[in-house]
Amino acid sequence: MMLLPDRKEESVLLDRLDASNLQAVSRGCALLAAGGGGDPELTLLMALRAVEEHGPVPVVRFEDLDDDALVMPCGLIGAPTIATERLWSGDEGRTLVAAVEQLRGVPVAALMAFEIGGANGLLPVTWAARLGLPLVDADGMGRAFPHLQQQAMHLAGMPSSPVVLTDGRGNGLVLHALDDVWSEQIVSRAAASLGGVCAGAVYCMTAGQGPTAAIGGSLSHAFALGSGAGEPATVILGEGRLATLERRLDGGVAYGAATVLGSGADYARELRLELQDEFLLAIEDGEVRAAVPDIISVLALETGIPLSTERLQYGERVTVVGLPVPPGWTTEAGLRVAGPAAFGYDVPYTPLVGAA
Amino acid sequence: VTALRIGIDVGATTAGAAAVDRHGRLLAKARTPATTDLGADVTVLVRALIAYAAVEPARVTRVMLSTPHARDALTRRRGLRRVATIRIGAPLTHAIPPLATWPADLREAVSVGTAVVRGGAEYDGRSVMALDTDAIARFLEPLADQAESVAVTSVFAPVAADHELQAADVARRVLGWGVHVSMSHDLGTIGLLERENATVLNATLAGVAGRVGDAVEGVLTAHGIDADLFLAQNDGTLVAIDRALDFGVLVVGSGPATSMRGAAHLSGVTDAVVVDAGGTSTGVGAVVHASPREGTGPVHIAGVRVGFPMVEVLRLALGGGSLIDLAATPLVVGPRSVASAFGRDALVFGGATPTLADAAVATGRAQYGSGALVTSRRDELAPALDVLDEALAGAIGWATDTTVPGPLLAVGGASDLIPDSLPGVYEVIRPRNGEIAGAIGAAMAPVSAQAERICSNRPDVVLAALDDARAVARARAIHAGADPDTVEIVQLDEIPLTNLVDPAIRIRVKAAGPPG
């Protein structure tokens, strides 16, 4: 047994996003979503179209930019399922950049995904392509999380405000919140009144602040996971069939639980998954095998396609895998924001352990 | 005098028919090689059936047809209507224009133009953007000579359909009252692109069901049969031909579903893996409570992603007529097949082409033609069956939804190829008349329809929405030809929409009943 290595060094660093690698990055984003974050299929289609029309999007490191260059983390806020119905105008990024530039008085030098997991991993690609701006190889989560304060930038003491939102139709707002928890509460209500989903810019920072505030290498990591390049530190937690699936809706959160009855080499084993928007705990024989903030993903056994918590179906054959998150999340401060207790589970965080 | 029904299942290589009484008892059956002429095939089958004394034409009250003609029209790009596509949702939705994800040649064959206009609803059904009817009229006017159908898709139409209905009125005003208009709220669920794709496919298929209906009704009338005609839908349930005329996309893939339903009916087993072995390929799926199981993954029709569930079937390119390449090491079986030349080219019929059926005869698994012609080649041919058995084992593992071994229903013209014992299978059941399982499945299927609502998760609201969805699904099923007295709700799903402050819930209801 060994503790999983941290994922700092990616063997392949992306220098651009184009038709040759977007598919792989999208697969990586789906895996990092832990069952939440929305289906990346739609944002992949948008990104492919945007790079076809406007050319590849350069991918840069914070170090490649001037220290005082302004970086705008952005993405979808609200219900991703609603975005599959309303789609996007494609110009939301332009609206956000204009508002941020007006607030800050300097031009935005680069965009950044605030959430690499799910639909949000590639949404900024469309906006960056249309604006001719580069994308920073970084994000704020290293996975998908449901809340605005579950960001590395929050842990680093950086404010999410001023938050800029737009519905893509011309309605927009700027929020100066007291702190990030207030920000989350107000923003989620604002998103509901903007149609259930909107585009947002949060935690704007300078490139100089980036390396200590954001999670580096996210796009490259997603590419490595999605293309099979490098050796992603993935732990197989179990393989089998979805034998039970319960859900209940409580205060806007869909609580659920699923059991995977082992098949093949895992015959007679039983893995219990606790889920909300994401898969949060994997428990076997009363013992926590994996816990949020580590990533628990459920893949269709035949295709290897990551399944969202919304799309799970009884009887499905699946592989359950665990992936470690960047180490910042497993510190005491990180766990307070995004550990099992932050999601209402009274279990201690247990580091992901895998056979060597 | 009891009423009879006739089920007809047209497959890739063979067409089969069955006449059954109201209790599902088989009175007569017939098979014929499938040609491209549906009317001719149906004529052969109907004549064969009514040659039986028990099948008096005057007693036949219903005819159920499962046919690949709609899918063939799409894959061959033939007999398709030219479509004007209207999307309602601007300024949103521009990031992916209509038909942008289609194969270029299909788009070319189908589309005369697309427009994205203002309008659409919010997820809770509120309208916040007025419909731009002028833009629709301006788009359609120059297309009056080209557009044969119109497809209308509005944002959140499954929740609020009024903009689609208004747009359809504009289309009829501009293009004439007889123009076919497909509306997305009739066809799919949340997920604009997939629903829009299904709507455009439906619009382009508008003529196909009519041609199928005319061909078959002509044959029936000529043989003294005055019956209501139903078509099998993608889930194996039925829809009356009048309604199918407007919903061609719902009948593009009924073959696997009708076979599975027929296998369950013939065997009396309601929960099982079903293997339907034909001349060119073998389909593997499952029945749950006697209905074919639907999949959850993305579904593509002719390379276009659509939003509605389809019956889950794994197709192996292995059938009775699959060629065995003995020169290769290890030997290769399929995907090429002697197909309809089986009775001439296979070794057991004196031909020179080794087929999978020859291997089955050589080893004593099956009996076709003359076994003496292959007994000496047993050792050479037998490994071909290992290829089949291994593929079947993998497919059965995929199709099984429990870890406990269960029954397997073997049907289709080449069901003899399926061995008596397979991993994960408790018992291989070979129902009598399994070679016409598809025709039986079509004859015995219920009529069904669906409805969907999205609402706030407040108990009173949910109850009202459930009542409404049930009523709409029932009304649609009755409209589709179900007997009003026996139609019932057979499926009800509630799916929460996450990440909303005021939580919403999506309700999906399916109603079904025997044909009225």
Side-chain angles (χ1 to χ4, degrees):
Chain A
M1 309 279 264
M2 62 162 207
L3 275 182
L4 285 155
D6 138 38
R7 66 159 172 83
K8 277 266 170 56
E9 290 83 39
E10 291 302 335
S11 46
V12 186
L13 283 183
L14 291 180
D15 61 0
R16 50 143 92 182
L17 288 168
D18 58 25
S20 73
N21 55 23
L22 279 168
Q23 203 102 35
V25 175
S26 170
R27 274 198 296 274
C29 292
L31 195 61
L32 291 167
D39 184 358
E41 171 76 16
L42 182 67
T43 41
L44 171 65
L45 290 174
M46 286 167 59
L48 285 169
R49 189 172 171 85
V51 299
E52 190 187 317
E53 282 183 356
H54 304 277
V57 171
V59 174
V60 299
R61 264 35 67 176
F62 285 115
E63 296 78 8
D64 299 335
L65 302 169
D66 288 340
D67 268 2
D68 51 5
L70 187 59
V71 174
M72 185 184 93
C74 51
L76 165 167
I77 292 173
T81 310
I82 291 180
T84 68
E85 177 64 26
R86 327 190 322 159
L87 306 188
W88 299 90
S89 78
D91 263 340
E92 292 85 357
R94 193 180 305 278
T95 309
L96 295 176
V97 162
V100 166
E101 288 181 344
Q102 198 183 4
L103 281 164
R104 301 268 175 165
V106 289
V108 167
L111 306 188
M112 172 185 136
F114 62 62
E115 178 181 40
I116 192 69
N120 262 336
L122 288 185
L123 186 52
V125 178
T126 297
W127 297 336
R130 286 180 165 224
L131 288 164
L133 288 175
L135 209 54
V136 182
D137 189 4
D139 84 312
M141 294 182 173
R143 49 163 294 158
F145 278 129
H147 298 305
L148 206 53
Q149 74 275 21
Q150 290 163 326
Q151 291 271 351
M153 289 78 88
H154 170 82
L155 292 188
M158 187 175 280
S160 56
S161 292
V163 176
V164 179
L165 303 178
T166 173
D167 70 350
R169 295 182 284 216
N171 295 306
L173 55 95
V174 176
L175 168 70
H176 299 274
L178 180 62
D179 60 31
D180 296 336
V181 177
W182 274 104
S183 179
E184 158 68 23
Q185 288 187 17
I186 299 166
V187 163
S188 55
R189 280 166 176 77
S193 32
L194 289 173
V197 69
C198 61
V202 290
Y203 295 102
C204 288
M205 64 183 91
T206 64
Q209 293 172 300
T212 53
I215 295 168
S218 305
L219 288 167
S220 296
H221 183 56
F223 176 72
L225 283 172
S227 63
E231 288 178 24
T234 307
V235 179
I236 310 255
L237 296 169
E239 182 188 307
R241 249 172 230 295
L242 219 54
T244 66
L245 180 62
E246 312 142 31
R247 298 178 199 275
R248 74 197 155 81
L249 203 53
D250 189 355
V253 182
Y255 290 92
T259 49
V260 177
L261 269 187
S263 58
D266 287 339
Y267 186 75
R269 290 173 66 173
E270 190 178 324
L271 193 67
R272 182 177 171 83
L273 302 173
E274 291 288 340
L275 54 107
Q276 290 171 25
D277 294 340
E278 290 84 24
F279 298 105
L280 299 171
L281 296 174
I283 300 164
E284 186 174 356
D285 295 332
E287 206 172 295
V288 176
R289 300 261 328 267
V292 67
D294 284 328
I295 297 161
I296 301 166
S297 274
V298 176
L299 319 180
L301 186 67
E302 305 298 325
T303 58
I305 295 171
L307 302 172
S308 75
T309 53
E310 283 185 359
R311 277 210 176 166
L312 274 192
Q313 209 191 25
Y314 167 81
E316 219 155 359
R317 301 218 299 168
V318 298
T319 308
V320 184
V321 301
L323 290 90
V325 274
W329 284 123
T330 56
T331 61
E332 210 186 307
L335 290 173
R336 243 195 325 271
V337 177
F343 290 89
Y345 300 106
D346 186 20
V347 297
Y349 167 72
T350 314
L352 192 61
V353 175
Chain B
V1 177
T2 58
L4 305 183
R5 50 179 89 161
I6 289 176
I8 299 172
D9 174 36
V10 182
T13 50
T14 312
V20 299
D21 67 14
R22 53 184 307 187
H23 305 294
R25 280 190 295 254
L26 183 66
L27 302 176
K29 62 178 177 177
R31 296 180 84 209
T32 184
T35 67
T36 50
D37 184 349
L38 179 68
D41 293 351
V42 172
T43 302
V44 173
L45 293 169
V46 167
R47 282 192 179 153
L49 292 180
I50 60 177
Y52 289 84
V55 188
E56 290 169 45
R59 286 171 60 199
V60 178
T61 56
R62 298 190 188 95
V63 173
M64 288 81 169
L65 177 70
S66 169
T67 156
H69 280 72
R71 184 180 288 260
D72 286 352
L74 284 175
T75 47
R76 299 200 183 127
R77 323 269 192 257
R78 272 218 308 257
L80 300 176
R81 288 207 190 168
R82 307 272 284 158
V83 180
T85 301
I86 298 163
R87 182 196 283 175
I88 303 167
L92 295 173
T93 84
H94 280 295
I96 306 180
L99 314 187
T101 60
W102 283 41
D105 65 322
L106 183 62
R107 182 171 59 228
E108 189 73 16
V110 168
S111 176
V112 295
T114 67
V116 182
V117 305
R118 279 181 182 265
E122 298 286 85
Y123 69 92
D124 52 8
R126 273 181 305 136
S127 172
V128 290
M129 202 68 94
L131 177 65
D132 189 347
T133 49
D134 290 348
I136 295 172
R138 278 198 307 275
F139 163 65
L140 288 176
E141 273 153 14
L143 299 176
D145 296 336
Q146 303 160 55
E148 297 166 292
S149 285
V150 180
V152 182
T153 308
S154 179
V155 167
F156 278 111
V159 186
D162 46 331
H163 283 183
E164 288 191 350
L165 295 166
Q166 288 175 42
D169 282 344
V170 176
R172 293 191 189 104
R173 203 180 67 221
V174 175
L175 300 176
W177 290 97
V179 71
H180 170 91
V181 183
S182 288
M183 287 178 278
S184 82
H185 71 273
D186 286 324
L187 285 160
T189 177
I190 301 302
L192 186 91
L193 285 182
E194 296 175 340
R195 194 175 70 250
E196 176 179 73
N197 287 345
T199 307
V200 180
L201 287 178
N202 192 65
T204 198
L205 286 170
V208 176
R211 286 198 297 279
V212 166
D214 290 347
V216 175
E217 278 170 346
V219 174
L220 296 176
T221 307
H223 291 86
I225 296 173
D226 176 21
D228 295 330
L229 182 61
F230 291 83
L231 293 190
Q233 307 185 81
N234 302 330
D235 64 355
T237 62
L238 301 171
V239 57
I241 185 73
D242 306 353
R243 181 110 174 127
L245 295 179
D246 291 330
F247 296 105
V249 79
L250 299 182
V251 298
V252 290
S254 57
T258 49
S259 295
M260 287 189 233
R261 195 178 285 282
H265 176 78
L266 286 169
S267 63
V269 177
T270 56
D271 295 85
V273 172
V274 180
V275 178
D276 179 12
T280 324
S281 69
T282 294
V284 181
V287 283
V288 179
H289 305 316
S291 289
R293 189 177 69 204
E294 293 177 344
T296 48
V299 171
H300 290 84
I301 293 174
V304 175
R305 188 162 153 163
V306 294
F308 45 79
M310 294 280 274
V311 165
E312 204 170 35
V313 62
L314 193 65
R315 195 149 286 284
L316 307 173
L318 294 168
S322 292
L323 302 186
I324 304 175
D325 182 357
L326 293 164
T329 322
L331 56 70
V332 176
V333 189
R336 290 202 305 129
S337 161
V338 292
S340 54
F342 176 63
R344 186 189 71 205
D345 292 355
L347 299 180
V348 290
F349 294 109
T353 314
T355 65
L356 200 50
D358 293 319
V361 174
T363 57
R365 189 182 282 189
Q367 285 171 351
Y368 306 100
S370 166
L373 292 172
V374 290
T375 37
S376 65
R377 301 183 68 174
R378 184 197 158 99
D379 293 351
E380 188 190 4
L381 293 170
L385 291 182
D386 297 339
V387 174
L388 172 69
D389 294 355
E390 199 175 311
L392 282 174
I396 289 160
W398 168 86
T400 314
D401 71 353
T402 66
T403 48
V404 186
L408 180 148
L409 307 177
V411 296
S415 62
D416 290 354
L417 297 187
I418 300 158
D420 284 325
S421 123
L422 280 161
V425 175
Y426 170 70
E427 184 190 2
V428 173
I429 299 168
R430 303 171 193 278
R432 269 189 73 194
N433 305 311
E435 77 281 5
I436 49 153
I440 296 273
M444 297 312 299
V447 176
S448 88
Q450 310 201 33
E452 173 162 326
R453 288 289 177 272
I454 292 181
C455 66
S456 153
N457 193 37
R458 293 208 332 261
D460 54 326
V461 180
V462 174
L463 284 178
L466 273 171
D467 284 346
D468 182 38
R470 282 198 192 97
V472 171
R474 281 177 56 95
R476 283 182 178 174
I478 291 164
H479 189 191
D483 173 11
D485 295 334
T486 45
V487 68
E488 57 182 358
I489 304 300
V490 293
Q491 198 182 326
L492 197 159
D493 297 316
E494 295 181 25
I495 305 142
L497 289 183
T498 56
N499 294 85
L500 284 174
V501 174
D502 178 20
I505 195 156
R506 184 162 135 192
I507 295 165
R508 216 163 39 198
V509 177
K510 186 173 185 172

